[in-house]
């Protein structure tokens, strides 16, 4: 569920918690009916409990199926491309021009974040972009190797190089119909 939009994920979590709560309530009612010897009621309650458990299994199955399809779509959208000529030397800087505004910061990551702010963080988040196999923007941090920066309530993945940053910014500009020019400046 970590690949779905945050609002959808929270609703699924809420649904599963409600199903578990209802199942627990039925189990308690079944135990009480058993204590007083009302076995027809026990059987009815057990049937209802089984139906709720089957519903949960069906929902999880559908969710897993959807996630596997969604995961392949995300893999196609991923911007991480391996470059056999890549070196580990310090990179240069980006100069990005968005709608006539020039953005140039000390590092690629800083320029990247500032450019996303110019696009509008809410608008960019709605695009559900993925960088290095994790969401570009999320309300909660992602545990792992990827670097993220907190900005206006969002965690923005800044684990980018000049190739991936350029690709992401150009695609976002295209999808938001905003003209973008990205230049790489050697140090």
């Amino acid at each position: 569920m970590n690949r779905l939009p945050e609002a959808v994920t929270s609703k699924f979590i809420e649904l599963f918690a409600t199903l578990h709560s209802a199942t627990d309530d039925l189990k308690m009612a079944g135990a009480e009916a058993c204590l007083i010897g009302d076995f027809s009621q026990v059987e009815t309650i057990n049937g209802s409990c089984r139906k709720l458990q089957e519903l949960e299994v069906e929902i999880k199955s559908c969710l897993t199926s959807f996630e596997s399809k969604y995961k392949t779509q995300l893999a196609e959208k991923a911007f991480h491309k391996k470059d056999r000529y890549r070196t580990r030397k310090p990179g240069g800087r980006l100069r990005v021009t968005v709608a006539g505004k020039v953005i140039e910061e000390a590092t690629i990551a800083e320029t990247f974040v500032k450019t996303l702010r110019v696009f509008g963080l809410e608008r960019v988040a709605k695009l559900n972009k993925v960088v290095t196999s994790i969401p570009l923007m999320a309300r909660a941090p992602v545990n792992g190797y990827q670097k993220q920066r907190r900005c206006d309530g969002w965690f923005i993945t800044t684990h980018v190089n000049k190739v991936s940053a350029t690709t992401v910014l150009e695609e976002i500009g295209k999808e938001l119909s905003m003209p973008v020019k990205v230049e790489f400046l050697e140090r």
Side-chain angles (χ1 to χ4, degrees), residues 2-186:
N2 59 350
R3 299 270 184 212
L4 294 174
E6 195 172 333
V8 175
T9 301
S10 67
K11 292 299 178 184
F12 270 114
I13 291 170
E14 189 178 319
L15 173 64
F16 291 134
T18 304
L19 285 172
H20 286 247
S21 177
T23 303
D24 290 344
D25 291 346
L26 285 172
K27 287 178 182 177
M28 292 298 292
E32 289 173 6
C34 188
L35 285 175
I36 61 172
D38 190 354
F39 296 109
S40 64
Q41 183 70 15
V42 170
E43 187 151 338
T44 304
I45 290 171
N46 282 344
S48 297
C49 190
R50 271 192 298 274
K51 287 178 184 175
L52 283 178
Q53 290 171 337
E54 288 172 9
L55 175 63
E56 181 180 0
V57 168
E58 286 292 320
I59 292 171
K60 285 183 177 179
S61 173
C62 288
L63 188 57
T64 301
S65 172
F66 176 78
E67 283 180 332
S68 67
K69 290 177 188 173
Y70 188 67
K71 195 175 199 176
T72 58
Q73 289 174 353
L74 287 177
E76 293 169 1
K77 284 185 173 182
F79 299 108
H80 183 71
K81 295 179 182 175
K82 293 188 179 183
D83 184 359
R84 63 185 176 143
Y85 302 108
R86 188 172 86 186
T87 64
R88 293 291 176 196
K89 67 179 183 179
R93 297 186 330 203
L94 287 183
R95 178 184 296 150
V96 182
T97 308
V98 179
K101 183 176 182 179
V102 177
I103 303 163
E104 184 180 339
E105 297 296 323
T107 65
I108 292 173
E110 290 171 7
T111 305
F112 186 71
V113 170
K114 196 166 184 180
T115 304
L116 293 178
R117 291 183 78 180
V118 171
F119 283 133
L121 297 179
E122 293 292 332
R123 292 175 66 200
V124 173
K126 289 178 184 176
L127 298 176
N128 290 324
K129 293 288 182 185
V130 176
V131 178
T132 60
S133 303
I134 65 169
L136 172 62
M137 297 180 64
R139 290 287 186 187
V142 174
N143 293 331
Y145 176 71
Q146 293 86 351
K147 177 93 170 110
Q148 291 186 310
R149 185 167 294 166
R150 187 165 174 81
C151 181
D152 298 333
W154 290 97
F155 286 89
I156 301 172
T157 302
T158 56
H159 188 84
V160 293
N161 57 25
K162 70 180 180 181
V163 175
S164 59
T166 301
T167 305
V168 171
L169 294 175
E170 288 174 348
E171 287 199 9
I172 290 171
K174 188 176 182 181
E175 290 183 38
L176 296 178
S177 301
M178 294 179 78
V180 177
K181 180 182 176 188
V182 182
E183 300 171 83
F184 184 73
L185 309 173
E186 294 289 337

